[in-house]
Amino acid sequence: MVKQGLLTHAKMALPTVMVLPMLIVVAAGIYYIYNEIIQYMSKSMVKNKVVVITDAVSGVGSECARHFHKGGARLILCGASWDKMESLYDTLTSGADPRVTFPPKLVLLDFSDMDSMPEVVNEVVECYGCVDILVCNSSMKLKAPVHTVSLELDRNIMDINYFGPSTLAKGVLPAMMSRRSGHILLVNSIQGRLAIPFRTSYSASKHAVQAFFDCLRAEVEEYGIIVSTISHTFINAAPPSTTPAKPQKGLPTFGVCPADLANEIVRTVSRKKKEVLLAHPIPRVALYLRSFFPSFFFAVVAAGVKDSAMAEQM
């Protein structure tokens, strides 16, 4: 009787042990199918759409261009280097199926030259007569003590990070409003919501452009225009595929790689999400502390500045 009881217990325990692995396999299968559906929907969402990408030759920009091009979008690639844009053009069109893809159009765009913006805006709009999706990806970074940053550099950062994207957005808006459709997406930094010492000009420009797009979202909603912002942490440089990735000394590990950010941009467009925070737990916690416990947050940040100043003197 005892032996039979043990055998019965073992038979009952075996299915219970198998439950967790089976759940993991099922969950993985569902997640895979979900991702496949999202990718398919993303491609169908951008097919034949006119998509403008600024700073298309950057890591994030080129990854976005690759995704949208494969999805059958009519790309308008903008950048400050004609040679690099031609190289990206060759990469995208090499081996591409002309039945499902369109050769990208190239437009020289340098946000540091604001005098050229009216011409550039006209050229962008005239490529196809309208813009369905605008991805504002350009950015200029700076890390320096506030007293060492010149007014000229302040203005240059504001041109590239704020006046450039806002001017381009204003330029494509009339056509979007008349067609009562469109999507404008800002690739912004988490520093547009969380200021960090030694990045005064950069954080100020990111706060300004965040506020502009937040206001824009409310103003154009009645026209059926979607405005999205993606706030991410610093972007990790993608190492060459032929060499193993090595951890960089002194850098934290909560950055985002260009491919992941580009994937999030495509998902945001397909799902029409209005705001995305692409950050690991530590930056998220800092953001919440800034909102709910500002005095504590300021004290921690100030202590960090003192510690770094002492370390440099030692």
Side-chain angles (χ1 to χ4, degrees):
M1 291 290 292
V2 175
K3 187 180 289 186
Q4 285 182 349
L6 289 173
L7 287 172
T8 305
H9 179 73
K11 288 178 181 179
M12 293 179 62
L14 184 60
T16 306
V17 171
M18 294 295 294
V19 167
L20 182 58
M22 288 177 64
L23 285 175
I24 293 174
V25 171
V26 170
I30 293 173
Y31 182 72
Y32 173 79
I33 294 170
Y34 172 77
N35 276 338
E36 289 297 312
I37 293 172
I38 290 298
Q39 287 185 3
Y40 176 78
M41 288 178 59
S42 299
K43 288 183 179 180
S44 62
M45 285 288 293
V46 301
K47 188 174 178 60
N48 294 322
K49 299 289 186 181
V50 179
V51 180
V52 179
I53 303 175
T54 66
D55 197 14
V57 297
S58 66
V60 176
S62 59
E63 287 285 345
C64 281
R66 184 173 61 82
H67 282 293
F68 285 119
H69 184 257
K70 286 175 67 176
R74 301 173 188 263
L75 281 180
I76 303 174
L77 304 178
C78 303
S81 170
W82 189 260
D83 291 339
K84 290 182 179 179
M85 285 198 296
E86 285 186 327
S87 177
L88 178 58
Y89 177 95
D90 293 339
T91 301
L92 294 174
T93 55
S94 177
D97 188 348
R99 293 171 299 179
V100 295
T101 62
F102 298 91
K105 294 183 181 291
L106 308 180
V107 175
L108 272 176
L109 169 62
D110 185 0
F111 282 147
S112 64
D113 180 15
M114 288 301 297
D115 292 336
S116 67
M117 281 305 297
E119 241 177 80
V120 173
V121 169
N122 289 335
E123 186 177 354
V124 167
V125 174
E126 287 174 2
C127 282
Y128 289 104
C130 66
V131 172
D132 293 303
I133 301 167
L134 169 62
V135 179
C136 294
N137 171 56
S138 306
S139 184
M140 177 181 177
K141 298 177 177 62
L142 176 69
K143 180 181 178 181
V146 62
H147 62 277
T148 66
V149 181
S150 66
L151 181 59
E152 182 181 0
L153 190 53
D154 277 334
R155 287 172 173 163
N156 194 27
I157 290 175
M158 287 299 293
D159 281 344
I160 295 173
N161 293 354
Y162 170 68
F163 286 112
S166 61
T167 301
L168 187 56
K170 287 180 180 180
V172 304
L173 264 181
M176 287 185 174
M177 292 169 72
S178 65
R179 298 169 70 231
R180 303 191 74 84
S181 69
H183 196 145
I184 300 175
L185 186 146
L186 171 70
V187 183
N188 204 24
S189 167
I190 195 173
Q191 292 185 48
R193 303 169 64 182
L194 183 71
I196 299 176
F198 305 115
R199 293 168 177 84
T200 49
S201 303
Y202 178 72
S203 291
S205 66
K206 291 300 183 179
H207 271 71
V209 75
Q210 179 75 38
F212 177 90
F213 277 81
D214 283 349
C215 293
L216 178 65
R217 180 184 297 114
E219 290 186 26
V220 300
E221 186 174 357
E222 63 177 299
Y223 297 98
I225 300 171
I226 307 297
V227 176
S228 304
T229 58
I230 298 180
S231 301
H232 61 83
T233 50
F234 72 89
I235 298 176
N236 291 322
S241 57
T242 55
T243 58
K246 296 180 180 179
Q248 299 182 43
K249 186 178 179 182
L251 280 180
T253 58
F254 44 77
V256 58
C257 71
D260 289 342
L261 181 50
N263 286 332
E264 186 57 52
I265 291 169
V266 174
R267 283 194 294 266
T268 300
V269 169
S270 63
R271 299 177 193 176
K272 298 182 179 180
K273 291 191 289 187
K274 295 180 179 179
E275 188 170 52
V276 176
L277 178 61
L278 194 60
H280 289 260
I282 292 177
R284 286 175 181 269
V285 169
L287 189 59
Y288 294 140
L289 286 175
R290 170 65 180 86
S291 300
F292 298 107
F293 305 100
S295 297
F296 176 74
F297 174 79
F298 295 148
V300 171
V301 172
V305 171
K306 290 178 183 177
D307 288 343
S308 62
M310 288 178 64
E312 289 178 2
Q313 293 174 3
M314 292 176 67

